[in-house]
Amino acid sequence: MPLLSDAANFDVSRSPSPSADTSRPIKRKLDFKVDEGEIKSKRSIKKRRSGKGKGLADDDETLDLERGINTAIGQMDSRLLTDWVAQQVKRFAPDLSMVELEDQYLPERALKDTSTWDKPRTLHDLPDYLKRYSRKDLGPRKLSSASSSLGSPHTLVITAAGLRAADAARTLRVFQTKEVSVAKLFAKHIKLKDAIKYVKKTRIGIGIGTPARLIDLLDAGALSSENLERIIIDCSHIDQKKRGIFDMKETQQSLMALLNRETLKSRYGKGKDGIDLLLY
């Protein structure tokens, strides 16, 4: 039997508490960590499904920052490229109806499949790329030749910026002769009136320029698409901000306006008299 002195020394604070109120939910602290990479991945997937993501070929894993290219472009065939271009168009035109968007899209037959090209899509390899994918049904005609008509090139190379066009022109001078020019057709440091005069008096085999300036030269009647056989879009190249020609709204919209000109679009994929569209 406990003594009274023991009872007096009993610590009440250590006595059992009354039964807990089970009417309130008990919050439990879960002991696990969430993988932030997984969350980002799920957010990325959600963005793409909603049309707000960057698109099929814009994952950082496909970007070769050392060479300044997006390697995914070269891995896609004509069908995938057509879908990818459509995604890029829709990305900057969220308010257009489906009918209006369809008018902006390129048909699959327009894009030449160059996915068999196994070299990096850099300017250094562009001349060899041109040689390989120039049509064989044109007989002995060479890339260093040109129509006798002035301002009527057989090839147009479209770049996102003037500086890039200048670099491309230096690379493609291997196709220039005394009679045939590889022409720089961009706005940087060249006034439109001066460009018009130059094009009207020059035999051009290959023209390199930006979308807006090419449109201006076509509208002015200086540049002709009558003898055009191919259009090459400098598509794999990315700038320091990891942007390609389809990633800049104003440039992309000018590019699509150029590609969708009826005089060009009606000839895409039409064989000998048609125009090949190549995404380099």
Side-chain angles (χ1 to χ4, degrees), residues 64 67 69-75 114-133 236 279-280:
D64 184 337
R67 290 190 174 103
I69 57 173
N70 186 341
T71 60
I73 304 301
Q75 299 171 16
T114 64
S115 58
T116 55
W117 179 255
D118 56 2
K119 295 181 181 179
R121 301 195 175 213
T122 60
L123 288 183
H124 176 268
D125 292 303
L126 181 56
D128 288 338
Y129 176 89
L130 256 174
K131 292 175 185 176
R132 177 166 175 177
Y133 292 105
S236 297
L279 271 59
Y280 182 65

Side-chain angles (χ1 to χ4, degrees), residues 110 228-231 263-264 267-269 273-277:
L228 194 61
E229 298 168 9
R230 69 191 63 80
I231 297 173
T263 52
L264 303 179
R267 293 174 56 200
Y268 292 150
D273 297 321
I275 297 174
D276 290 335
L277 190 56

Side-chain angles (χ1 to χ4, degrees), residues 3-204:
L3 300 175
L4 288 174
S5 60
D6 292 331
N9 293 327
F10 184 76
D11 187 356
V12 178
S13 65
R14 297 171 65 182
S15 63
S17 60
S19 59
D21 182 4
T22 56
S23 63
R24 294 183 182 179
I26 299 175
K27 294 183 179 179
R28 298 179 182 271
K29 186 176 181 180
L30 301 179
D31 188 19
F32 67 88
K33 294 181 179 180
V34 178
D35 186 343
E36 292 184 4
E38 184 178 354
I39 290 177
K40 289 180 181 179
S41 177
K42 289 181 178 179
R43 284 176 181 168
S44 176
I45 292 170
K46 186 176 181 181
K47 277 186 178 181
R48 290 182 187 180
R49 286 178 178 172
S50 64
K52 296 180 181 178
K54 284 189 175 182
L56 181 65
D58 297 294
D59 289 329
D60 280 356
E61 292 181 0
T62 69
L63 304 183
D64 184 337
L65 300 181
E66 184 178 348
R67 290 190 174 103
I69 57 173
N70 186 341
T71 60
I73 304 301
Q75 299 171 16
M76 293 187 283
D77 60 17
S78 298
R79 182 181 59 81
L80 289 175
L81 282 172
T82 302
D83 291 343
W84 179 74
V85 171
Q87 285 182 15
Q88 304 311 300
V89 171
K90 186 176 181 180
R91 179 175 153 203
F92 291 127
D95 298 327
L96 292 185
S97 67
M98 288 301 297
V99 174
E100 290 171 322
L101 282 170
E102 286 292 335
D103 290 336
Q104 294 292 314
Y105 295 159
L106 296 173
E108 185 178 335
R109 61 176 170 78
L111 297 174
K112 189 178 182 71
D113 186 355
T114 64
S115 58
T116 55
W117 179 255
D118 56 2
K119 295 181 181 179
R121 301 195 175 213
T122 60
L123 288 183
H124 176 268
D125 292 303
L126 181 56
D128 288 338
Y129 176 89
L130 256 174
K131 292 175 185 176
R132 177 166 175 177
Y133 292 105
S134 294
R135 294 204 304 270
K136 306 300 182 184
D137 58 353
L138 298 173
R141 188 172 190 178
K142 298 178 180 178
L143 290 166
S144 55
S145 67
S147 168
S148 57
S149 300
L150 302 180
S152 188
H154 54 67
T155 301
L156 283 178
V157 178
I158 306 175
T159 67
L163 184 59
R164 178 69 175 176
D167 291 340
R170 280 191 288 271
T171 301
L172 294 173
R173 277 180 186 163
V174 293
F175 301 118
Q176 183 165 290
T177 67
K178 291 181 179 180
E179 295 79 23
V180 177
S181 292
V182 171
K184 294 182 287 187
L185 308 175
F186 53 88
K188 193 174 182 67
H189 307 311
I190 304 174
K191 294 180 180 180
L192 178 59
K193 64 178 182 179
D194 294 332
I196 290 172
K197 289 179 182 178
Y198 167 74
V199 172
K200 283 185 174 181
K201 67 179 183 181
T202 306
R203 283 185 66 197
I204 300 173

Side-chain angles (χ1 to χ4, degrees), residues 211-227:
R213 173 51 60 91
L214 292 172
I215 289 173
D216 289 340
L217 291 172
L218 287 166
D219 287 345
L223 186 65
S224 171
S225 61
E226 182 179 356
N227 294 290

